[in-house]
Structure formats: C-alpha cells, structure tokens
Amino acid sequence: MTAKIKLRSQLHLLTGFMAGFVLAFVLLLFVYDVNRVTPCWSSSSTMSTATARIQNIPPDRILCMVLTCPENVENLARTVHDTWGQRCSRLIFASSEDYEPLGVVQVVEPGGGGYEDLWNKTREGFHHVWEHFGRDYDWFLKADDDTYMIMENLQHLLSGFDPDTPVYFGYKMSRYNVSYMSGGASYVLSREALNRFMTQAYESEVICPQPKKMGIEDFYMGICMQNVGVHFVDSSQSLDGDTKPKFMPLDLENYMSEANTTIPQWLRQMSFSRVETGLTCCSNFSVAFHYASRERMFLYEFLIYHLKIFSPNQIFERNERSQLTLSELIRRYPLEDNSNIKDLLQMSEKPDNF
C-alpha cells in the first residue's frame, strides 16, 4: 500500500513538472510574438496599423479650374502653376486662347476672356471640364488667377462630404435675396453638383442665366445651383468647433487692420459670416485668399511650405549640447579686418555725417 502511494506521488510530481514546462514554453512563444507586433501608438520610428490604414486611403481627387486671360498667362497663371497648382489632382486654366505649356484651354472666343466674360468663361470652362474629365474627379474647384489656395486644408474640409451628393462649397454671400458663394474667394462643386449643372441648368434659360457679357458670375452660379437642388455649404460652418471663414474674398492683409477701414462695406453687407479683422479674422485652417499678386503668392508659399520654426524641445536639445569653445569660435568665425578703422581720423572712406 505504501509503495502505491509513493508511486502515485511521483506521478503527480512528474505530471506537474511537465505541465509547468509546457506552460512556460507557450508563454515564451507568446511574449516573442507580442514583441514583433507593431505598437498601437505611433512614435518617431513606428506607426500604428490603424494610422497606416488611414494613410492608405486615397485622398479625394480635386480638379482645379483657374480662370485667366492671355495677358495674365506668364504672370499670375504661371505663378499659380508653380505654387499651389502643383497640389491639385489636375490643373486647368480656362481662357480665350490656348497655351499648351501651362495647360491653358480656350473656352470663349478669341479677344474675350476679360472681366466682362467672367460668367461665360466659368460656364464654358465647366462645360469643357465635364466633357473631358467629369467622371474622373470627385470635386471641381473654380478659382481666379489671383487667388491662392491651401489645398491640404481644402482636402480636409471636403473629406467630410460625399462627392456623389450635390454640394456647393465656399464663402456664402447674398444679394437680391439670392444666396451664392463668392467667386473671388473660389468655390467647389461636388461631382454630383457639376452633373446637375451640366445636365439640368446649363442649357435652360428658365433656371440658369445663359451666356452674356458682364454677367455676375458668382451670383449667376448661385441661382443655377439653387434651382437644381444643390446644398450650399458655408465654409465657416464646415468644420466642427471652428466658425471662422475659410475662403477669404480679400487679400489677407485687408483683414489685419484693427481699424476696420480696409474692409469694404459691400463685403459686410453681403456676407453671411461676421467679418472680423486682426489675428482672429480668419480660420487657422483657411483655404483661400483672393487678390493675391505674384509676389504675394510666393510669400504665402514660403511662409506655409518653407519657413520652419524650432520647437521648444529642439531649442532645449541645442542648449544641452556643448557650446563653442573660444578656439572653435576663432576658427569658424575669425575676427574682421579692422585695419581701416583703427584710427577713425585717418579713415579713407566714410559717410558725410560720420
């Protein structure tokens, strides 16, 4: 009996040892596998799988149609082409003459294309775009050649809307009891909005103004959009928690004066949004600024995409590093030659009021 009890105890001990060994081995395999999984939070050298999936979603395709004229092609149109136009999915200039190097297409008769043809150029420009590219893009931006666009912010705002729903997006204004989006500030049509414009409004003089000189382009487009059931999205209401306008009908400088003297009265009267000045004038996620000269466009381009600001951490890290020794200072930044100014009375060259 004693031998049986002893044998049973030994079997229990052996079984427990084997079970413990198997459990430990499985645990080691689990730990090894876990260490190979991408972390859930991104760092400077890793990215979560969720973030990777988001970045793999292709951005909305935006066709940019910019109105220009022959005398502006080598100045404003080229500047648009060299700056923000590079960030469009496709860039097309609508004018009264073709100019292949910049992708300028003739949409109105030669000799036209100036301010008096703004409505005609917009109307025929959209006709050209629809015929050639209508099914290839999600959104269709109309801008003037003196407008500067921040396309990344536009992409973000549009990402909350379905291009197959009828949407008309921009800076909302009103005149003659008709709502519309400012043409100078630029506006955007969804694919479905452009489809309705072309298939229902374009040829109907009953619901949409037909070609005419001195047509009020943005006002006319507002009429057409309303009559084909397109939804107006004021950009000031398009981003949760941000009620500032994002498509600006004026140059940014006009909004910087606290005296309010740089804002024309017509803008205050026609705008749905409250027109403010100073640093709180506009959204931090603004999309468009009108009346931008060639130089102003390059200024926007530099400040937004080239100017860098050192972070507090970078400043701290630089302070933590050893400072230049005197010998290194002399080697890298030797003293200037002051032989000509050791005796100021004997200076050979000096200003009159020295």
Side-chain angles (χ1 to χ4, degrees), residues 5-29:
I5 293 174
K6 187 176 180 179
L7 178 61
R8 184 178 300 170
S9 298
Q10 290 175 342
L11 288 174
H12 286 167
L13 180 63
L14 180 61
T15 302
F17 176 80
M18 292 180 64
F21 176 82
V22 171
L23 181 62
F25 182 75
V26 171
L27 182 62
L28 284 173
L29 286 178

Side-chain angles (χ1 to χ4, degrees), residues 134-187:
R135 286 77 177 171
D136 301 331
Y137 296 92
D138 303 307
W139 300 93
F140 299 86
L141 165 71
K142 175 268 164 188
D144 294 342
D145 57 12
D146 61 347
T147 302
Y148 185 88
M149 305 292 303
I150 304 170
M151 295 302 296
E152 294 86 350
N153 287 355
L154 179 59
Q155 283 274 8
H156 181 75
L157 297 184
L158 295 178
S159 66
F161 298 86
D162 182 353
D164 288 320
T165 58
V167 176
Y168 176 39
F169 200 96
Y171 183 93
K172 194 173 182 182
M173 306 180 74
S174 178
R175 64 193 304 188
Y176 307 114
N177 296 316
V178 174
S179 299
Y180 63 97
M181 301 299 178
S182 167
S186 78
Y187 52 79

Side-chain angles (χ1 to χ4, degrees), residues 201-210:
Y202 179 77
E203 294 184 351
S204 174
E205 62 180 10
V206 175
I207 63 173
C208 186
Q210 294 301 288

Side-chain angles (χ1 to χ4, degrees), residues 78-315:
R78 182 169 291 280
T79 306
V80 168
H81 176 273
D82 293 343
T83 56
W84 65 264
Q86 295 293 314
R87 292 177 279 275
C88 298
S89 303
R90 190 180 192 98
L91 175 64
I92 291 175
F93 293 96
S95 182
S96 58
E97 295 179 9
D98 292 324
Y99 185 67
E100 189 174 343
L102 290 184
V104 182
V105 294
Q106 178 186 345
V107 296
V108 293
E109 68 277 2
Y115 182 78
E116 70 281 358
D117 269 320
L118 200 54
W119 169 238
N120 300 341
K121 192 159 43 176
T122 300
R123 189 174 178 276
E124 300 311 319
F126 275 133
H127 180 266
H128 172 85
V129 164
W130 180 251
E131 287 295 312
H132 292 84
F133 311 106
R135 286 77 177 171
D136 301 331
Y137 296 92
D138 303 307
W139 300 93
F140 299 86
L141 165 71
K142 175 268 164 188
D144 294 342
D145 57 12
D146 61 347
T147 302
Y148 185 88
M149 305 292 303
I150 304 170
M151 295 302 296
E152 294 86 350
N153 287 355
L154 179 59
Q155 283 274 8
H156 181 75
L157 297 184
L158 295 178
S159 66
F161 298 86
D162 182 353
D164 288 320
T165 58
V167 176
Y168 176 39
F169 200 96
Y171 183 93
K172 194 173 182 182
M173 306 180 74
S174 178
R175 64 193 304 188
Y176 307 114
N177 296 316
V178 174
S179 299
Y180 63 97
M181 301 299 178
S182 167
S186 78
Y187 52 79
V188 182
L189 304 183
S190 66
R191 180 169 51 237
E192 176 57 22
L194 182 56
N195 174 47
R196 295 189 183 193
F197 175 70
M198 293 309 308
T199 59
Q200 300 177 37
Y202 179 77
E203 294 184 351
S204 174
E205 62 180 10
V206 175
I207 63 173
C208 186
Q210 294 301 288
K212 56 174 60 70
K213 295 288 186 180
M214 298 305 295
I216 310 172
E217 171 252 330
D218 46 10
F219 174 70
Y220 285 4
M221 181 58 74
I223 293 174
C224 303
M225 292 291 100
Q226 286 189 54
N227 282 333
V228 294
V230 172
H231 296 269
F232 285 45
V233 179
D234 188 350
S235 65
S236 65
Q237 306 299 322
S238 62
L239 195 61
D240 290 344
D242 183 354
T243 58
K244 300 288 185 180
K246 300 165 187 66
F247 289 63
M248 312 309 295
L250 305 177
D251 177 57
L252 182 59
E253 185 177 356
N254 291 93
Y255 295 93
M256 290 297 104
S257 173
E258 292 286 1
N260 290 337
T261 57
T262 55
I263 304 297
Q265 191 60 29
W266 61 262
L267 184 61
R268 296 186 185 280
Q269 293 174 342
M270 297 180 185
S271 297
F272 271 77
S273 303
R274 181 169 177 263
V275 180
E276 299 183 48
T277 55
L279 292 178
T280 60
C281 69
C282 322
S283 170
N284 291 340
F285 300 99
S286 290
V287 171
F289 297 101
H290 192 208
Y291 296 129
S293 64
R294 179 177 185 275
E295 293 75 20
R296 186 57 58 90
M297 287 195 214
F298 281 120
L299 177 62
Y300 287 144
E301 188 80 4
F302 174 78
L303 293 177
I304 296 171
Y305 296 100
H306 297 274
L307 180 65
K308 305 296 181 185
I309 300 175
F310 287 112
S311 69
N313 287 339
Q314 289 174 308
I315 297 172

